[in-house]
């Protein structure tokens, strides 16, 4: 999606082109696909999008509407999360959506500077076996210090707290169970790795204990993804009693002091769908910081990131771009497979 400087002067053709380019990304949401397709030919709605400064504006618009929408609004009839028996995506849905946005334009634009930081706890289900194997290979049997780079709200740091179900195999016991297809028949541990400490590094940590920030995380989940919404709510509830430290700032800058301050013991550092948008020099800076920490104490790094050719993979190594993948995985943790 192209970026633009938000304001009255943004050419609407440019906004429309960006919306059209976004439509294929909405493959999983019939409602958003319909809305985006129609918005691209609707100057009034394109005008609203042009005044949203955060990127991508279409995601912000859709999340703002979900944040504002209540069961009593006519539009709610098409949102599965609000209407048990939601109506299918149809032209009337777009008319209701359009009416809602134009009527609540000022309220929608009030969310225009929010970030589109999502946090998908199910990614733990593909990270966990890879991390367990990496720790096992190094003979690190005891609790390790966990560091999640680009942790958002820190839900990935619940990795040792949630339960897992890989096809028929259950691991752990928890109010939250993550399902994952073990397509690659990876070895599974009898229990998730134990963490001595849990630290999340993020440019702008999300405080999921703040009801408004939690509500925004929920609003970013697409309307048809009701299972994802339930998982998010369960993870936020677990997060409330988990001992997790969040550190704000660029991980390349914050990591050295964070690692230095940890008690002795090995570190497992990972990142999931977090660093792929960084330019090469910023990635180099993160790599250099990790390598410097690893020179002083035992550290293993696991990267779970989308790849330029499509799909996402997992790599174990201090400089993941120089390392071959050990697994492929669905970006939301639905399955894990061999490369
Ligand atoms: C799409 S979210 C992914 C969150 C989480 N890892 C997950 O899997 O659900 C990416 C996060 O990475 C953070 N991020 C990006 N670059 C970063 C950097 N250089 N240092 C720290 N955090 C960064 C963003 O602020 C954002 O919260």
């Amino acid at each position: 999606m192209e970026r633009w400087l938000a304001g009255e002067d943004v050419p609407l053709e440019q906004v429309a082109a960006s919306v059209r380019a976004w439509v294929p990304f909405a493959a999983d949401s019939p409602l958003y696909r319909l809305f985006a397709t129609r918005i691209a030919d609707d100057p009034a709605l394109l005008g609203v999008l042009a005044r949203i400064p955060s990127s991508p504006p279409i995601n912000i618009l859709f999340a703002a509407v979900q944040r504002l929408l209540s069961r009593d609004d006519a539009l709610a009839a098409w949102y599965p999360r609000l209407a048990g028996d939601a109506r299918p995506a149809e032209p009337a849905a777009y008319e209701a959506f359009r009416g809602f946005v134009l009527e609540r334009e000022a309220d929608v634009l009030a969310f225009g500077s929010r970030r589109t930081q999502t946090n998908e706890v199910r990614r733990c289900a593909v990270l966990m076996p890879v991390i367990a194997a990496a720790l096992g290979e190094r003979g690190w049997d005891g609790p390790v210090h966990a560091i999640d780079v680009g942790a958002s709200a820190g839900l990935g740091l619940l990795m040792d707290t949630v339960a897992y179900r890989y096809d028929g195999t259950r691991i752990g016991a928890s109010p939250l169970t993550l399902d994952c297809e073990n397509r690659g028949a990876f070895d599974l541990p009898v229990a998730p790795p134990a963490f001595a400490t849990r630290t999340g590094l993020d440019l702008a940590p999300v405080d999921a204990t703040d009801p408004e920030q939690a509500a925004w995380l929920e609003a970013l989940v697409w309307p048809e993804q009701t299972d994802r919404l339930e998982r998010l709510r369960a993870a936020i509830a677990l997060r409330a009693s988990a001992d997790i430290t969040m550190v704000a700032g660029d991980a390349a800058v914050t990591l050295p002091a964070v690692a230095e301050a940890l008690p002795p013991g090995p570190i497992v550092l990972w990142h999931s769908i977090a660093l792929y948008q960084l330019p090469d020099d910023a990635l180099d800076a993160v790599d250099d910081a990790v390598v410097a920490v690893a020179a002083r104490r035992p550290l293993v790094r696991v990267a779970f990131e989308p790849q330029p050719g499509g799909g996402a993979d997992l790599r174990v190594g201090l400089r993941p771009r120089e390392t071959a993948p050990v697994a492929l995985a669905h970006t939301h943790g639905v399955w894990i497979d061999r490369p």
Side-chain angles (χ1 to χ4, degrees):
M1 160 125 341
E2 274 179 64
R3 285 170 184 271
W4 59 76
L5 294 173
E8 307 288 348
D9 299 334
V10 183
L12 291 192
E13 311 83 70
Q14 187 185 334
V15 184
S18 298
V19 173
R20 284 195 190 97
W22 187 88
V23 170
F25 293 102
D28 290 344
S29 172
L31 208 54
Y32 282 1
R33 207 169 52 236
L34 168 74
F35 291 170
T37 306
R38 296 289 305 271
I39 288 171
D41 294 318
D42 188 333
L45 273 272
L46 290 172
V48 176
L49 274 182
R51 278 178 286 139
I52 294 179
S54 268
S55 186
I58 187 103
N59 293 71
I60 302 283
L61 172 67
F62 288 153
V65 168
Q66 289 210 102
R67 180 70 195 86
L68 295 167
L69 196 60
S70 76
R71 281 177 206 284
D72 303 330
D73 293 304
L75 176 61
W78 285 278
Y79 279 68
R81 66 161 59 180
L82 290 172
D85 194 11
R87 295 169 65 177
E90 59 197 356
Y94 183 68
E95 292 312 315
F97 175 81
R98 182 179 198 278
F100 186 91
V101 172
L102 295 179
E103 194 180 315
R104 307 281 304 267
E105 190 172 329
D107 297 329
V108 167
L109 290 175
F111 291 99
S113 300
R114 293 279 180 102
R115 288 165 176 261
T116 51
Q117 280 169 297
T118 51
N119 201 184
E120 176 50 66
V121 68
R122 195 181 194 178
R123 291 180 184 139
C124 287
V126 297
L127 280 161
M128 192 278 285
V130 173
I131 287 175
L135 298 179
E137 278 164 24
R138 286 159 182 76
W140 300 348
D141 302 330
V144 293
H145 300 294
I147 300 180
D148 182 357
V149 175
S152 183
L155 303 182
L157 288 154
L158 297 170
M159 192 179 296
D160 61 336
T161 312
V162 296
Y164 300 86
R165 189 165 40 215
Y166 296 91
D167 311 301
T169 307
R170 286 175 163 276
I171 297 172
S174 166
L176 174 58
T177 298
L178 305 178
D179 280 293
C180 181
E181 284 173 49
N182 185 7
R183 293 186 185 170
F186 287 91
D187 285 341
L188 298 170
V190 290
F195 294 155
T197 61
R198 306 180 190 89
T199 309
L201 312 183
D202 203 285
L203 289 172
V206 176
D207 179 3
T209 62
D210 171 0
E212 180 51 42
Q213 293 189 49
W216 183 248
L217 279 180
E218 289 189 9
L220 288 164
V221 175
W222 292 6
E224 296 88 348
Q225 296 175 330
T226 49
D227 60 332
R228 223 182 144 195
L229 185 63
E230 276 171 33
R231 215 166 33 244
L232 175 64
R233 288 179 175 156
I236 289 174
L238 273 182
R239 169 80 175 82
S241 54
D243 192 5
I244 293 173
T245 303
M246 296 296 294
V247 178
D250 180 346
V253 176
T254 58
L255 177 64
V258 164
E260 191 70 37
L262 290 174
I267 294 174
V268 57
L269 175 145
W270 72 81
H271 39 99
S272 70
I273 323 295
L275 302 184
Y276 65 106
Q277 286 175 328
L278 294 188
D280 277 346
D281 56 345
L283 284 174
D284 289 343
V286 173
D287 290 357
D288 291 346
V290 173
V291 168
V293 172
R296 290 196 299 278
R297 56 190 296 169
L299 181 148
V300 63
R301 172 180 183 178
V302 177
F304 173 25
E305 298 288 348
Q307 298 307 318
D313 65 34
L314 290 103
R315 299 169 189 228
V316 181
L318 298 180
R319 294 187 186 272
R321 286 169 293 164
E322 298 169 12
T323 312
V326 294
L328 306 177
H330 183 279
T331 50
H332 288 161
V334 176
W335 51 259
I336 180 167
D337 205 348
R338 298 280 166 186

